[in-house]
Amino acid sequence: MPIPPTLLRTATVDVFRQSWPVNPDKLTRIVRHQYCSFQTMPRLVPIGCGWMLGALLTHSHLVRGMPHAYSLMALAGGTVAVSILSLGRRFPLWTSWMLGGCALIAAIGSAARAGLSDTNLFGLMRVQITVLRTQHTSHGPRAIARLEWMERIPDLERRTPGCRIMLYGKKLPLGATVRTIGSLTPWAEFRNPTPHPQWPRAASETIVAGGTIPKGAPVITVHHPSFFRQLEAVRDGIRDALRSALKPPAEGMAIAWLLGETDFISKPTQATIQGAGLTHVLAVSGLNITLFAGFIVTVLARLLLLIPFLASRYDTRRIAVFIGIPCALGYATLAGGTSSGYRAAIMSSLAWGAVALGRRPAPGNVMAATALVFGALSPEAFMGPAFLLSILATWALVSGATLRNAFWRSQLVISLRSMLATAPLVIWCFGGVPLIGLLANIALVPLASYVLMPLSFALTLVAFFWHQAALWMGIALGAGCSLFVYVCQIFERISLGRFMPPLSVPQGLVMALGCIALIAVRAWRRRLMIIVGAVLLLAGAEWHLRCTEKPRHQLRVTFLDVGQGDSALVDLPDGKLMLIDAGGGMFGSPDPGAQVLKPLLQARRRSSIDIAVISHPHPDHYEGLAALLDEFPIGEIWDNGQAQDEAADGVYSVLLRRAAQRGTRIVRPPVLCHGPRRYGSVEVRVLWPCPLYDPALDLNDNSLVLRITGGTQSFLMTGDIEQAAERGLIARYPQLFTDVLKVPHHGSRTSSSTALLRAVRPKLAVISAGKYNRFGHPHPEVLKRLSGFARRTIQVAKQGGVIVK
């Protein structure tokens, strides 16, 4: 095969930079080894797309009830095998798409198999776990582990859920299988109807419970492979070396780059870097892997060129990249074994493996092969946002033309393409794209990539042999990290694009298609047309969303899933919004005000709350309101007055004073009991406690009871009243016929008496209680009584939030 003159001249320049003489024949052989021995990889993109689409369908719950499809998993393995065997030949496009269809079916089966069993992880357990990841945090050691089996104490109910939990309190050996005792609490996952649904997550990748290991609890190691013992010792040595040679913020940043532990970075510093749009700089990602392994490959290739025997007979780059593969995988393991690190290592290894085998790795095929390999190894994490972000960012970089511009202009183009590719997913999952992050990436990523990270690697190596030199290097690294954080503070002050309203599903599709089109199209005129069209479509979708989520001439009630608590949103016909209770974080669970109410109100484009009703001052009914006070103006708060007079809960009284200072009107009986209030065609009447609360009753029995009537629908909101209040309510209103009943006190056995149900006779009963709550709500007796009166009963804990209109 003849060698083009241009290629020969380029190779001649490369070769004669070396210090050894080369004759023309030897030069020709070198060029053939270096440039002409590559074959093209097959078309793996359709196959990878099929696999990704199948996983997306499964995790989006569009496919239900798929059996444990071992045959489909075998089919997936066969698809990958056929792809690998055909690396050296080009096969027709229809064959690729056929295999992609097979991968689609296989992904649906294998991802469905990765589901999580419905297990009550609550209370004191005797567990056997396999430690997957350990971290040293500012609050002590933390471990993420896979639960092998557990025995509930004291009834010794054994189960084998196979899910992931997080444990605090004791240092657990990495990679070991241990037995211990843990006090577990399930992590709340709220499910509510919203225009902006959460990104689908695989159940077996999600941490479903957290807990602590008591101080006196034994930790028995069942099995601990020697590889993980040595790995943990190396990680401990690196961490100690960095902490002895560095001071904050350089200490935390270096540990984050090398070990993937960001907890040593102070919260203000993390917030500053995040505000500048540079969170990815601190993550163990493709940037770290490429810098570390790429540096080794480059140095090895140069060193091997100095050996005439190897350089004249073999392609030194192929030898270097072959050595770089275990370096990349080893560094990903050393850096904590995170999914992002392994993704980058697998992608680099596949590309380098193709080069080592004499094949030219097309970028699209490398990404598709990464999706196939990573999806086969870890199907439960396949559709996580981090994986998709890495795929999208890489696609944006490799799909563009070769950048022959100046360095800073190239950085600008690379940052812009990456931002466009990842913007839809970042906005959907994280609420905005800091536009100033584009300039921050141009200014600071080169500093971090080409100065601070390599200096951290070098300091770690030097620290093991010469501590004083490591201290000198630490001064330089500390100055560089301080400069990095200082410039981030400047960029953080500019909040353009950082906070955006949550997108609806149509808006997300429009933005995704628009960004893809902007990257794919080259002509500026067409790009301008795409931008104008996307803006018009987004504006139309926004107008439709605001009309839908602020319904006029209609009564709509949304019963929300807030865990062990109550909360409901009432859209009134005149456009006003009523909030009835706000839930609360019970026993350390997430705050539903921040996790449920605030995102939902933003997704529904609600900027204020006209009426907030707190049925009674128990934390599971009012605590969520605290997260809303600073964000949403509240016109009125309806309160039963008992907490103010009896000082039953100081926290609640402080909350009311904060609201009053912001101009909120606090309304109590007897004003509430004076008569019904009308909002358009809807009538809201406070039935209990009227005219005042009864001091002889507790807080539950003095809950505000509301009856909302509009058109053909009526709702009875009962708070936490129990049998004493139910008797008083029935005595005043013997016929409370209502379409929808909010079941009192979360379905407690002391509520929902037969007399109340006979007076109400609801068509629909809604029970708001937390999943696996320690109170046993709803009680089986209550469910049995409800079945005799209500046509249908909905448990929010099982079915999620529900809209009734």
Side-chain angles (χ1 to χ4, degrees), residues 373-390:
V373 172
F374 196 80
L377 295 176
S378 183
E380 67 276 5
F382 190 63
M383 290 311 299
F387 180 81
L388 292 179
L389 285 174
S390 63

Side-chain angles (χ1 to χ4, degrees), residues 173-177 221 223-234:
L174 178 65
T177 300
T221 302
H223 177 63
H224 194 192
S226 59
F227 169 77
F228 287 104
R229 289 200 300 269
Q230 297 171 4
L231 176 64
E232 192 169 13
V234 172

Side-chain angles (χ1 to χ4, degrees), residues 90 107 181 203 220 234 261 274 406 443 482 484 506 570 632 724 730 784:
R90 299 181 63 88
I181 293 176
I220 303 173
V234 172
E261 299 175 353
Q274 182 180 5
S482 298
F484 181 88
V570 182
F632 302 91
I730 297 170
K784 185 177 180 180

Side-chain angles (χ1 to χ4, degrees), residues 394-668:
T394 307
W395 169 75
L397 296 179
V398 303
S399 62
T402 303
L403 298 177
R404 301 182 182 277
N405 304 315
F407 175 78
W408 294 111
R409 187 174 179 182
S410 299
Q411 289 293 318
L412 175 62
V413 174
I414 288 173
S415 298
L416 184 59
R417 290 179 65 86
S418 299
M419 188 182 72
L420 279 175
T422 58
L425 189 58
V426 171
I427 294 174
W428 188 273
C429 296
F430 306 107
V433 176
L435 298 182
I436 196 63
L438 181 62
L439 297 178
N441 275 272
I442 298 172
L444 293 178
V445 167
L447 172 63
S449 303
Y450 304 117
V451 179
L452 301 181
M453 290 184 190
L455 189 58
S456 300
F457 297 146
L459 184 147
T460 304
L461 294 176
V462 172
F464 283 105
F465 305 102
W466 191 3
H467 182 69
Q468 187 61 40
L471 293 177
W472 297 335
M473 295 175 65
I475 296 174
L477 181 58
C481 291
S482 298
L483 176 63
F484 181 88
V485 174
Y486 176 75
V487 179
C488 284
Q489 291 174 348
I490 297 176
F491 285 116
E492 183 193 16
R493 299 190 184 106
I494 306 174
S495 60
L496 182 62
R498 188 178 304 159
F499 305 107
M500 299 180 64
L503 302 176
S504 64
V505 174
Q507 288 176 323
L509 292 175
V510 169
M511 181 163 287
L513 294 176
C515 289
I516 293 173
L518 286 175
I519 295 175
V521 172
R522 302 292 181 187
W524 282 102
R525 181 176 298 179
R526 293 184 178 180
R527 287 176 176 172
L528 182 60
M529 293 174 60
I530 292 170
I531 293 174
V532 173
V535 170
L536 292 176
L537 290 173
L538 288 173
E542 181 70 16
W543 176 81
H544 180 267
L545 176 64
R546 290 178 181 271
C547 293
T548 304
E549 296 304 331
K550 294 182 179 179
R552 294 279 182 170
H553 312 294
Q554 181 186 13
L555 174 62
R556 183 178 71 170
V557 178
T558 306
F559 295 94
L560 298 176
D561 176 13
V562 291
Q564 183 60 23
D566 272 2
S567 186
L569 289 173
V570 182
D571 294 292
L572 298 167
D574 60 352
K576 291 186 177 180
L577 177 67
M578 175 183 287
L579 170 67
I580 302 179
D581 288 326
M586 295 288 289
F587 314 112
S589 61
D591 178 12
Q595 299 293 328
V596 177
L597 292 172
K598 181 179 175 181
L600 181 58
L601 292 174
Q602 291 173 341
R604 290 186 170 186
R605 303 302 189 261
R606 288 286 190 173
S607 57
S608 63
I609 301 172
D610 298 283
I611 305 163
V613 180
I614 304 300
S615 62
H616 63 292
H618 273 165
D620 59 329
H621 290 255
Y622 74 78
E623 274 191 346
L625 190 65
L628 305 179
L629 284 179
D630 297 329
E631 299 284 342
F632 302 91
I634 300 176
E636 295 180 350
I637 291 181
W638 294 5
D639 169 50
N640 69 357
Q642 189 171 7
Q644 181 190 32
D645 294 342
E646 298 182 0
D649 193 327
V651 177
Y652 180 66
S653 300
V654 171
L655 187 66
L656 292 183
R657 284 197 297 271
R658 281 180 55 197
Q661 291 171 359
R662 286 167 170 76
T664 301
R665 182 187 175 202
I666 310 300
V667 186
R668 299 185 175 94

Side-chain angles (χ1 to χ4, degrees), residues 325-347:
I325 292 174
C327 293
L329 295 173
Y331 175 57
T333 304
L334 179 67
T338 61
S339 300
S340 60
Y342 275 130
R343 281 195 303 271
I346 290 173
M347 186 175 294

Side-chain angles (χ1 to χ4, degrees), residues 113-121 126-132 144-151 158-166 184 202-209 379-381:
R113 183 176 175 270
L116 176 67
S117 58
D118 189 22
T119 305
N120 184 353
L121 296 176
R126 183 180 292 111
V127 298
Q128 178 168 309
I129 56 177
T130 298
V131 182
L132 304 176
I144 297 175
R146 183 177 64 248
L147 187 60
E148 305 295 345
W149 59 260
M150 70 179 188
E151 293 177 342
R158 176 176 291 197
R159 303 188 183 187
T160 56
C163 56
R164 295 192 178 188
I165 60 176
M166 180 178 291
L184 301 181
S204 54
E205 175 69 9
T206 305
I207 299 173
V208 298
E380 67 276 5

Side-chain angles (χ1 to χ4, degrees), residues 39-50 79-80 82-101 103 359-369 372:
Q39 300 176 14
T40 305
M41 291 178 65
R43 299 171 180 174
L44 299 180
V45 176
I47 304 172
C49 291
T79 301
V80 177
V82 170
S83 305
I84 295 175
L85 291 175
S86 58
L87 284 176
R89 64 185 67 178
R90 299 181 63 88
F91 50 86
L93 185 61
W94 67 267
T95 307
S96 298
W97 285 107
M98 181 184 69
L99 294 176
R359 289 161 174 86
R360 191 180 304 279
N365 288 335
V366 171
M367 288 191 297
L372 290 170

